[in-house]
Amino acid sequence: MDTPEAFDRLLRDRSAALLRTAYLLTGDRHLAEDLLQSALTKTFQRWSTLRDEAAGEAYVRKVMVSIYTRWWQRKWNGERPTAELPDVELLDPYGAADEREYVRRLLTSLPRRQRAVIVLRFYEDMSEKDIAEALEISTGTVKSTASAAMTRLRTMIAEEQGPARVRQYEGGDRP
């Protein structure tokens, strides 16, 4: 039998009926597609030994039932349905940008010295001593300025109910 053309005709003319059979066997659209694909692969490998297209279709059905039976006989069946779905945090693709904009807006509302201390301390990860040298102020002034800035940021976050990730730092040492 002419392999590529006859097999293509079988796919074109009978794939919907074969998929329906697979669906009736599995009860699941995705499993039915997997089952049919597996059966068609095995059938294609044996296509040259089949008499005609009708025999090919019958062979596909036989292979589907055989594969499905093996699936059914296995102890492990892959996924298991559950009554309760696990809580999965969905990532908001714009959430990080929103948070950055929110923090940027908070920082720009601070007086210049407070903003400079916070940026150098938490974004540039500089020590208090290095910040004091860079701004030409004492280490004590850096500490008191950072404390005042953090108090002001926490107050603004609490009043505005900012993004959850930003609010989690209210008790910590980061803006």
PDB file of all heavy atoms in Angstrom, residues 6 22 43 91 98 107 131:
ATOM      1  N   ALA A   6      -1.749   7.192   1.415  1.00  0.00           N
ATOM      2  CA  ALA A   6      -2.842   6.449   2.049  1.00  0.00           C
ATOM      3  C   ALA A   6      -2.965   6.815   3.529  1.00  0.00           C
ATOM      4  O   ALA A   6      -4.077   6.979   4.044  1.00  0.00           O
ATOM      5  CB  ALA A   6      -2.614   4.947   1.893  1.00  0.00           C
ATOM      6  N   ALA A  22     -11.200   7.698  20.823  1.00  0.00           N
ATOM      7  CA  ALA A  22     -10.205   7.878  21.884  1.00  0.00           C
ATOM      8  C   ALA A  22     -10.812   8.632  23.065  1.00  0.00           C
ATOM      9  O   ALA A  22     -10.568   8.298  24.229  1.00  0.00           O
ATOM     10  CB  ALA A  22      -8.983   8.614  21.340  1.00  0.00           C
ATOM     11  N   THR A  43       0.829   2.818  14.309  1.00  0.00           N
ATOM     12  CA  THR A  43       0.225   2.381  13.046  1.00  0.00           C
ATOM     13  C   THR A  43       1.105   2.766  11.868  1.00  0.00           C
ATOM     14  O   THR A  43       1.295   1.974  10.939  1.00  0.00           O
ATOM     15  CB  THR A  43      -1.176   3.000  12.881  1.00  0.00           C
ATOM     16  OG1 THR A  43      -1.968   2.613  14.007  1.00  0.00           O
ATOM     17  CG2 THR A  43      -1.840   2.556  11.598  1.00  0.00           C
ATOM     18  N   LEU A  91       1.842  35.251  39.638  1.00  0.00           N
ATOM     19  CA  LEU A  91       2.720  36.394  39.479  1.00  0.00           C
ATOM     20  C   LEU A  91       2.058  37.433  38.596  1.00  0.00           C
ATOM     21  O   LEU A  91       1.544  37.117  37.527  1.00  0.00           O
ATOM     22  CB  LEU A  91       4.051  35.950  38.871  1.00  0.00           C
ATOM     23  CG  LEU A  91       4.862  34.992  39.722  1.00  0.00           C
ATOM     24  CD1 LEU A  91       6.124  34.579  38.977  1.00  0.00           C
ATOM     25  CD2 LEU A  91       5.222  35.604  41.049  1.00  0.00           C
ATOM     26  N   ASP A  98       4.945  48.208  39.218  1.00  0.00           N
ATOM     27  CA  ASP A  98       4.093  49.037  40.074  1.00  0.00           C
ATOM     28  C   ASP A  98       4.774  49.312  41.405  1.00  0.00           C
ATOM     29  O   ASP A  98       4.736  50.440  41.911  1.00  0.00           O
ATOM     30  CB  ASP A  98       2.747  48.353  40.323  1.00  0.00           C
ATOM     31  CG  ASP A  98       1.888  48.257  39.072  1.00  0.00           C
ATOM     32  OD1 ASP A  98       2.169  48.992  38.094  1.00  0.00           O
ATOM     33  OD2 ASP A  98       0.936  47.452  39.072  1.00  0.00           O
ATOM     34  N   LEU A 107      10.160  57.740  47.692  1.00  0.00           N
ATOM     35  CA  LEU A 107      11.496  58.316  47.876  1.00  0.00           C
ATOM     36  C   LEU A 107      11.550  59.782  47.456  1.00  0.00           C
ATOM     37  O   LEU A 107      12.201  60.599  48.111  1.00  0.00           O
ATOM     38  CB  LEU A 107      12.543  57.504  47.105  1.00  0.00           C
ATOM     39  CG  LEU A 107      12.886  56.136  47.694  1.00  0.00           C
ATOM     40  CD1 LEU A 107      13.789  55.368  46.748  1.00  0.00           C
ATOM     41  CD2 LEU A 107      13.524  56.276  49.063  1.00  0.00           C
ATOM     42  N   ILE A 131      28.645  56.414  53.929  1.00  0.00           N
ATOM     43  CA  ILE A 131      27.632  57.434  53.616  1.00  0.00           C
ATOM     44  C   ILE A 131      28.034  58.759  54.253  1.00  0.00           C
ATOM     45  O   ILE A 131      27.944  59.821  53.610  1.00  0.00           O
ATOM     46  CB  ILE A 131      26.232  56.993  54.118  1.00  0.00           C
ATOM     47  CG1 ILE A 131      25.763  55.749  53.359  1.00  0.00           C
ATOM     48  CG2 ILE A 131      25.218  58.120  53.958  1.00  0.00           C
ATOM     49  CD1 ILE A 131      24.531  55.095  53.949  1.00  0.00           C
TER      50      ILE A 131
END
